[in-house]
Amino acid sequence: MQALIRIVFSVSIIIVFCLSVVNASEIPNIAMLSFISDKVIHALIYFYLTLLGLFSRFNTSELSMVIIIFMFGFIIEVIHYFHPYRYFEYFDLLANLIGVTIALQIFRLKN
């Protein structure tokens, strides 16, 4: 089961990265998102990635996994700064942090 979770985690990271670097207009319905719904989606995506990462039980601490996933989001935002059709947004980072933090708390309550 753990191997399956690791595969899903790895594929999810690749999908999130690919969707994050393509032109936003190439993603269906992305232009229709409001500011709030965009941030909710960010929080949900990083919540999902963090839970998968924590349940994957890689040879790293919980805190390290959370930092790695948050830094993944930070690197994507830096790429957005240089991307001609994307924008660096501090609120995206905040939404990512909220998703990561909630996932960590739920994981700790479960274990």
Side-chain angles (χ1 to χ4, degrees), residues 9-83:
F9 174 71
S10 300
V11 170
S12 297
I13 288 286
I14 292 167
I15 290 170
V16 168
F17 181 79
C18 290
L19 289 174
S20 297
V21 296
V22 298
N23 187 344
S25 65
E26 295 177 15
I27 303 171
N29 300 325
I30 197 77
M32 296 171 44
L33 293 176
S34 70
F35 178 82
I36 299 296
S37 62
D38 175 55
K39 303 316 168 220
V40 169
I41 289 171
H42 271 266
L44 289 173
I45 287 169
Y46 282 85
F47 171 83
Y48 165 79
L49 288 176
T50 303
L51 276 183
L52 280 178
L54 291 170
F55 281 116
S56 295
R57 303 224 183 262
F58 289 103
N59 291 332
T60 183
S61 70
E62 294 171 3
L63 185 59
S64 294
M65 179 58 70
V66 167
I67 290 171
I68 289 167
I69 293 170
F70 179 76
M71 291 307 296
F72 170 72
F74 179 78
I75 290 167
I76 288 173
E77 286 302 315
V78 170
I79 290 169
H80 286 177
Y81 180 79
F82 297 102
H83 195 289

